[in-house]
Amino acid sequence: MTHPTEAADLWLRPPRAHRLRRPAGWGHQRHQSHALRDSGTAAVAVLLDVLLFSDAVLHPVGATVGATHRLLAGCCALIGWLLLRCRRRYPVVVLLATVAWSLTTALGTGYRPVVPVCVAAFCLASRGERRVLTLVAPSLVLDVGAWTLSEARSNPQLVTGQAVAAVAIGYTVLLGLVVTAGRLHRAGALRVRVAERGRREAVHTERRRMARELHDIVAHAVTVMVLHADAARRILPKNPRGAAEA
């Protein structure tokens, strides 16, 4: 038997016909939407990376870049795009693979995959994987060294140790800012989630309070009716008019 409070609580809920119903295939459509968004973000990140950190596009003055070099940079960019598409499902694996791919690409070609590594690090930091980031930190340091070495080889202006150190510090600060942004994003998401949970609990508490009040009102009315009926039954033989008024 349902408790009166629970019955009143159920009565306060909106009818089942008025509730929001998710259409058939909603989960599949949502998965496709996330996949398209991840693919678009990965494409933008790789394109921006090629434009900013590839000698095939922005090569130093006086340097010649052949079609083979451009084709190699395009193939490397395609690998980066394929890796970043899976960053939400496998953030740890994608970061490790992106770091290794960036290291070999920066040392072997004139292309420095900086943006894909930043995107993968941001994704992992936003998941709260602090221990994994600590373990991957030495690999990120090696990436910074490879980027700096590639920058020094492709840019003849970086001939002094101070300039090379400035480039290395710049890359390190960039990675630090990306990781910090990922942690701040996670903290903001947690605050929103806690606020939403508090709102739901407040609504549930208010709903139960109203249910208790309705139960008390109904119980009081029923009690009064029972007392009046009992009093009318007792005085009926002696005073029929008073029984009718009661």
Side-chain angles (χ1 to χ4, degrees), residues 39-212:
S39 299
T41 304
V44 172
V46 171
L47 180 61
L48 183 64
D49 191 65
V50 170
L51 292 176
L52 295 179
F53 300 102
S54 176
D55 294 341
V57 178
L58 296 178
H59 51 274
V61 179
T64 57
V65 178
T68 304
H69 195 173
R70 291 191 176 91
L71 180 61
L72 184 60
C75 294
C76 293
L78 179 61
I79 294 174
W81 178 74
L82 293 175
L83 288 174
L84 290 183
R85 286 184 71 249
C86 306
R87 69 186 186 278
R88 292 183 183 272
R89 298 180 62 183
Y90 313 104
V92 178
V93 176
V94 168
L95 179 60
L96 293 175
T98 306
V99 167
W101 161 72
S102 176
L103 182 65
T104 55
T105 302
L107 293 177
T109 65
Y111 173 38
R112 297 167 291 282
V114 178
V115 178
V117 174
C118 292
V119 173
F122 176 87
C123 183
L124 188 62
S126 63
R127 297 292 183 93
E129 301 288 347
R130 183 176 301 181
R131 182 178 300 179
V132 178
L133 280 173
T134 303
L135 295 176
V136 179
S139 301
L140 295 176
V141 173
L142 291 178
D143 262 356
V144 170
W147 297 340
T148 305
L149 180 60
S150 177
E151 190 78 32
R153 287 188 305 183
S154 61
N155 197 346
Q157 284 78 16
L158 298 177
V159 293
T160 62
Q162 296 178 352
V164 174
V167 172
I169 292 174
Y171 282 133
T172 305
V173 171
L174 177 62
L175 286 176
L177 292 176
V178 167
V179 173
T180 304
R183 292 180 178 177
L184 292 177
H185 180 269
R186 174 176 173 79
L190 289 177
R191 284 195 297 268
V192 171
R193 192 174 303 172
V194 170
E196 181 66 19
R197 183 180 301 174
R199 186 188 66 81
R200 292 180 180 177
E201 291 180 355
V203 171
H204 182 68
T205 302
E206 183 65 18
R207 183 179 296 170
R208 293 188 64 86
R209 184 189 65 81
M210 294 177 63
R212 286 194 298 268

